[in-house]
Amino acid sequence: ELGVRALQPTITRRTIARRVNLERLRANAVEAAEQSERLSVPEIREPVDLDALLRAWPRDRKLVFCDEGGDAAPMHDALTQMKGTPSWGILTGPEGGFEPVERAAIRNCAFALPVTLGPRIMRADTAALAALAVWQAVCGDWN
């Protein structure tokens, strides 16, 4: 509904549910596309470990890293400065957030753009929706 092209479940050290019901996710994606009159259905990918995701990430594609550490720029401000970047991904963490070693590994990637979603503690699913809404407002087809 918010224009996502693909969903990539990512396993982190604090991920609780290690199995993903891909068929259910795919069915939900089809239903959401139909209800929102979207012409395409997002790809639902097999889960990968965070390290594998970072190793395989295309170097020419920015990764918005929603970092709950609090020392990153507000997402709106960071995206405004990067407006015009053609290809993006958004990474939000699991319940309880990323472990410090994971945060450091992500921040060490040249393609990562650490951002904050503000002072509120959000559930993992809420953070993903909030990040997508901000991205759409600044860089997407809402503007």
Side-chain angles (χ1 to χ4, degrees):
E1 296 160 59
L2 290 173
V4 170
R5 188 177 66 210
L7 293 173
Q8 175 64 72
T10 304
I11 307 299
T12 67
R13 292 180 182 197
R14 292 185 179 160
T15 298
I16 296 168
R18 301 243 174 221
R19 293 185 322 179
V20 177
N21 185 339
L22 294 175
E23 291 311 311
R24 181 168 184 229
L25 285 177
R26 289 180 180 127
N28 287 344
V30 168
E31 289 174 11
E34 289 173 354
Q35 288 174 347
S36 61
E37 298 182 2
R38 183 176 169 170
L39 299 177
S40 62
V41 176
E43 175 188 357
I44 307 298
R45 297 181 179 160
E46 294 284 336
V48 297
D49 288 330
L50 177 62
D51 293 337
L53 178 81
L54 297 177
R55 279 193 309 273
W57 194 262
R59 298 304 185 249
D60 61 341
R61 184 172 187 214
K62 280 290 184 193
L63 179 64
V64 176
F65 167 43
C66 298
D67 186 359
E68 72 281 354
D71 58 345
M75 186 172 180
H76 180 275
D77 297 347
L79 289 176
T80 299
Q81 293 178 10
M82 301 291 294
K83 205 169 182 178
T85 300
S87 184
W88 294 89
I90 297 176
L91 178 64
T92 59
E95 300 293 338
F98 292 98
E99 292 217 350
V101 68
E102 293 171 325
R103 289 181 64 234
I106 299 165
R107 282 178 164 255
N108 283 333
C109 297
F111 52 81
L113 176 64
V115 300
T116 180
L117 293 173
R120 290 170 194 81
I121 302 298
M122 296 183 203
R123 293 176 52 102
D125 50 351
T126 305
L129 293 174
L132 285 168
V134 173
W135 185 89
Q136 273 289 15
V138 176
C139 301
D141 55 13
W142 287 2
N143 56 19

